[in-house]
């Protein structure tokens, strides 16, 4: 994908292409658990009208099923401002230092969420949000899992390319159904029985 290519002249629907890119990568993240961790524009080929070819799998991330479901729960809990649940999930992952001030962490998380409260979804830039989450984690000495860091890097690149194609796209709107499906699978009768 090159900035010099005139996609409109080739009859390519930028909006559909951006949506297809997000769908492709969200499928990798939340359904496959194996994803391309360096999807900058040089590693992406457009296959008209709205398909993608992905090159250079030199950096790959993995999220096991448990990590995927915990990540989904964490995102939904953060969206619903259930900060106790967010902290519990990080604690279950073993990422919190023993002497962490959980009340201060919750307060800082609330401040971060307040910053975005009321912001239209299409104006939330995933890369910026991810950087702020990583910064907050460092401040509290939280060791984020490697898969989470690679996911953030990948998601930031994909979000940037999608926004380059369609400045009005809203990655958060595309991700919601996938998160809901993951959560439904987590509470399915078969899974509960296992």
């Amino acid at each position: 994908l090159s900035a010099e290519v005139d996609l409109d002249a080739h009859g390519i629907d930028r909006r559909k292409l951006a949506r297809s890119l997000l769908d492709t990568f969200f499928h990798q993240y939340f359904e496959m658990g194996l994803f391309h961790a360096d999807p900058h524009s040089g590693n992406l080929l457009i296959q008209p009208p709205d398909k993608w070819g992905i090159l250079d799998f030199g950096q790959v991330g993995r999220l096991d099923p448990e990590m995927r479901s915990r990540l989904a729960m964490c995102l939904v809990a953060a969206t619903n401002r259930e900060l106790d649940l967010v902290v519990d999930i990080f604690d279950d992952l073993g990422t919190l230092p023993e002497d962490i001030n959980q009340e201060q962490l919750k307060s800082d998380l609330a401040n971060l969420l307040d910053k975005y409260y009321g912001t239209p979804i299409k104006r939330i830039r995933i890369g910026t949000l991810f950087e702020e989450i990583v910064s907050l984690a460092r401040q509290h000495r939280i060791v984020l899992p490697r898969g989470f860091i690679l996911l953030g890097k990948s998601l930031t690149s994909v979000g940037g390319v999608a926004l380059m194609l369609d400045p009005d796209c809203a990655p958060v709107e595309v991700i919601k159904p996938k998160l809901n499906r993951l959560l439904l699978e987590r509470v399915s009768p078969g899974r509960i029985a296992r």
Side-chain angles (χ1 to χ4, degrees):
L1 176 65
S2 170
E4 296 86 39
V5 175
D6 185 357
L7 299 177
D8 299 323
H10 287 80
I12 294 174
D13 184 331
R14 291 170 160 275
R15 179 169 280 148
K16 281 177 98 173
L17 195 59
R19 175 71 186 228
S20 173
L21 179 67
L22 293 170
D23 280 337
T24 297
F25 275 85
F26 290 158
H27 176 77
Q28 290 177 41
Y29 304 145
F30 295 107
E31 293 172 39
M32 294 174 57
L34 182 69
F35 59 91
H36 193 298
D38 191 24
H40 59 76
S41 59
N43 285 340
L44 301 171
L45 295 174
I46 297 171
Q47 297 178 324
D50 62 359
K51 301 289 184 224
W52 289 92
I54 305 171
L55 307 172
D56 185 7
F57 284 83
Q59 193 170 32
V60 176
R62 286 183 172 77
L63 296 170
D64 63 37
E66 191 63 30
M67 178 65 82
R68 290 194 307 267
S69 64
R70 285 182 179 183
L71 180 59
M73 283 192 325
C74 191
L75 291 171
V76 171
T79 302
N80 294 328
R81 300 186 62 80
E82 296 175 22
L83 301 179
D84 288 330
L85 182 54
V86 172
V87 172
D88 286 346
I89 291 168
F90 279 111
D91 195 27
D92 286 346
L93 289 170
T95 62
L96 299 181
E98 287 185 28
D99 62 342
I100 191 164
N101 181 337
Q102 289 193 10
E103 293 309 312
Q104 184 62 52
L105 175 59
K106 289 178 209 172
S107 174
D108 291 346
L109 282 169
N111 289 337
L112 178 59
L113 293 174
D114 287 345
K115 180 178 176 182
Y116 290 96
Y117 184 78
T119 302
I121 287 176
K122 70 181 183 181
R123 295 231 169 108
I124 295 174
R125 297 298 176 244
I126 291 176
T128 304
L129 179 57
F130 180 73
E131 288 171 11
E132 291 180 16
I133 291 168
V134 170
S135 176
L136 182 63
R138 279 192 194 123
Q139 177 185 339
H140 288 276
R141 301 181 335 275
I142 297 170
V143 180
L144 296 173
R146 182 176 190 273
F148 181 81
I149 297 295
L150 289 175
L151 173 74
K153 179 182 178 205
S154 178
L155 187 54
T156 298
S157 294
V158 167
V161 172
L163 287 169
M164 180 181 74
L165 292 167
D166 176 15
D168 291 327
C169 84
V172 177
E173 287 177 358
V174 178
I175 201 172
K176 275 183 181 177
K178 296 198 182 300
L179 292 178
N180 290 336
R181 190 168 45 250
L182 255 180
L183 291 176
L184 285 174
E185 287 171 7
R186 183 168 174 78
V187 296
S188 70
R191 181 171 174 109
I192 290 171
R194 281 195 306 271

